[in-house]
């Protein structure tokens, strides 16, 4: 099996989160660019931008624009939760 850089990065990120939790720190999130998310969930980046963003994945819940800029970073843990659980009324209320 060949491990991609994104997959290895995700494993390292999860390990760092586990360490932070054990130390009592606030949960560390994994931030992914559109291209990294595309590689992780096996969807084309264009599909993420044009069909999922702002219809299934919402700003402030599933992604942020750091420092008020144009760049979008997806919060992996919340995207993964959405994929596993689907859209809930709770996620809509958070918007």
């Amino acid at each position: 099996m060949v491990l991609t850089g994104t997959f290895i990065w995700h494993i390292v990120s999860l390990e760092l989160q586990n360490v932070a939790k054990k130390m009592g720190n606030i949960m560390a999130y994994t931030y992914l660019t559109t291209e990294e998310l595309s590689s992780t969930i096996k969807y084309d980046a264009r599909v993420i931008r044009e069909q999922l963003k702002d219809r299934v994945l919402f700003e402030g819940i599933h992604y942020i624009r750091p420092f008020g800029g144009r760049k979008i970073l997806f919060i992996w843990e919340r995207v993964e939760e959405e994929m596993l659980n689907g859209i809930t009324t709770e996620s809509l209320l958070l918007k």
Side-chain angles (χ1 to χ4, degrees):
M1 169 165 61
V2 177
L3 298 178
T4 66
T6 302
F7 183 75
I8 293 170
W9 180 80
H10 181 66
I11 291 172
V12 169
S13 176
L14 290 175
E15 287 302 316
L16 290 174
Q17 286 180 29
N18 289 335
V19 169
K21 286 179 187 177
K22 287 177 185 174
M23 294 176 66
N25 294 340
I26 296 174
M27 181 178 178
Y29 292 108
T30 306
Y31 299 103
L32 302 175
T33 64
T34 305
E35 289 73 24
E36 290 169 332
L37 180 63
S38 169
S39 174
T40 302
I41 67 172
K42 311 302 188 240
Y43 273 71
D44 189 82
R46 188 173 59 212
V47 170
I48 294 170
R49 283 190 298 270
E50 296 175 3
Q51 295 179 16
L52 298 179
K53 188 175 88 53
D54 298 326
R55 292 185 186 152
V56 176
L57 305 175
F58 299 103
E59 185 170 4
I61 298 172
H62 304 101
Y63 71 90
I64 60 169
R65 295 176 189 268
F67 312 111
R70 292 182 59 208
K71 185 175 195 74
I72 292 175
L73 293 177
F74 289 91
I75 303 168
W76 169 246
E77 292 76 13
R78 294 190 179 162
V79 172
E80 183 178 44
E81 182 179 349
E82 196 71 39
M83 289 188 323
L84 295 174
N85 298 326
I87 295 176
T88 63
T89 54
E90 181 180 310
S91 68
L92 293 175
L93 292 176
L94 292 175
K95 185 179 180 222

